[in-house]
Amino acid sequence: MNIWIVTTGSSDVKLKTDKNWNHLYRSIRNQLNLSFSPYRPPNSDSEEAFMVPARITGMVYGGQLEEYYDDLTFPLWEAFSQQLKGHLISEQDQIVLILTDQSATFDADDKRQKKSPYWQDTCELKPILERYLQQKFPGVEIVPLILKPQEKPGLDDWDGVLNLVRDEFERIVLELQPDTVYVSHQASTPAISSAVQFESLTRFGSRVKFLISNEQDGSLTRFIDRSSYLKRIRRQEALALLNNFDYSGVYQLLKDDLEESNMSVSLEILEKLEMAMLWNYAKFQEFLERYFDLSSENSEGWWCDNWWRTAYEAAYLATIRLKQGNTVEAFFHAFRAVEGAFLEWGKQEFKAHIQMNSSRAYLQPSILCDPKNYFKEAKINPDKPEKNNSLGNLKLKFQDLDNRLNNQEKDKQKPKGEILYGTTLYRLFETQKPDSKNMPEYKRFTAQDGISDKRNKNFHQLEGLSKDDVFRDWEVDNLEEWEKRILTYLNFIAQPDLPQEFTSLEEASLMSKVHEKLVNTIASYQPE
């Protein structure tokens, strides 16, 4: 048992002569109420067929086939029929004929217009195509399925069409499992073509063979094996997933095909997808180590010179999350980028005075003796502590920490140190970047009730965030200002260690280069 599933289009049935056209058309003209002439003659003296919109062809000829059937020609179907001869021969075989009807989608005014898709519908061709198929494949069951949307945008709505096709395919009743399912999906709208491909493969899997042709050259008609066809479909699906930065989805879609191939480009795509997934999971250090092929021998020096890179990757990820509509992650990745840049700066600046505990950096009292004299601007008034400045209070904290470490009682837990975070980090940062105190953006971030405090507010609630919420808490009005503000912070923190002052987060991110390479490589990739 075999099945042929075939879509229909507006040029499937043409006139090879117009000798009977005028009087046949006049008999139904009043039913149409057209504002245009439906008849188009050939452009030359060649044998090109006369063109009439599909719905009108069916209405004119559908009821008068006994006398006028020979006026019609079926150029695409002839090529199909030749290929399928001998494959559809028994009463158990089926031809599933997919027709379209948008009569419920368009109003009277639409239906008067020449460009209305209503006139390209193929439902009125049903008796014509059935007669053709009965002649070519006598005894084979013909199962017409009509796609009939109820509202605009009609048959150009991809999601709606997929649902229509799925519902109509439920009407294909099979007593036996088919050996082969031939699918011809070129005709009709792109949405129908895609939906028929998808639903055929979903239902019939490895039994599917695609039958394609060329209206101008029937010799190009051929079968395409499912595996080869699927690889090309997957490539297009992968590009669509990349457009939404769904690297895991692309990896799952292409992994088997790429691993089966021995082509170097396949291995390159897999490698870059694995890097992209690390980045997408915010594993920026692993991503950068893969990108630069860092080993344990050469990584320490590299990280000393490039401590700032993870912050720019986190910031770029924040913009991607916003484009994906994931505003909560966008909000927090942006804060992680700025706060992480401060932290990475501090870990480099104070590395001689840091002890790590559970991946957290704790400053030790030895910082008080550093030759840089970080506390030279500290003001301490023993008689009036309220007169101390913030750096003075921080110095007192380290002195107290030093006393506790030197006079520690045996049965008490040893202090870990002063965590390198928040106010402690900002005050020390200001000792090395004194111009920060005059920088409005910096003061907005670190001030009490400033931008940083708003991050804490959102950490402790379960509500979602809108884009407007994100912009408001960052004290900007739109995406462009938001990116600019984050970039201002990162460039300021990372100077003078940057090789250049970046003008955009996309420019600064290495992932943007990986993404561009993935798109170009997959787009040009030719599966075996």
Side-chain angles (χ1 to χ4, degrees), residues 294-313:
L294 298 178
S295 64
S296 57
E297 291 78 19
N298 63 5
S299 63
E300 185 175 352
W302 186 91
W303 280 110
C304 287
D305 296 333
N306 295 271
W307 58 266
W308 44 269
R309 282 199 179 273
T310 52
Y312 285 94
E313 298 302 334

Side-chain angles (χ1 to χ4, degrees), residues 413-439:
Q413 185 176 359
K414 179 181 177 181
K416 296 177 182 177
E418 188 69 25
I419 190 167
L420 188 61
Y421 176 75
T423 303
T424 296
L425 181 54
Y426 300 149
R427 297 297 85 85
L428 290 171
F429 178 82
E430 290 159 10
T431 67
Q432 302 307 298
K433 303 242 184 169
D435 51 340
S436 62
K437 297 177 182 178
N438 299 318
M439 180 182 176

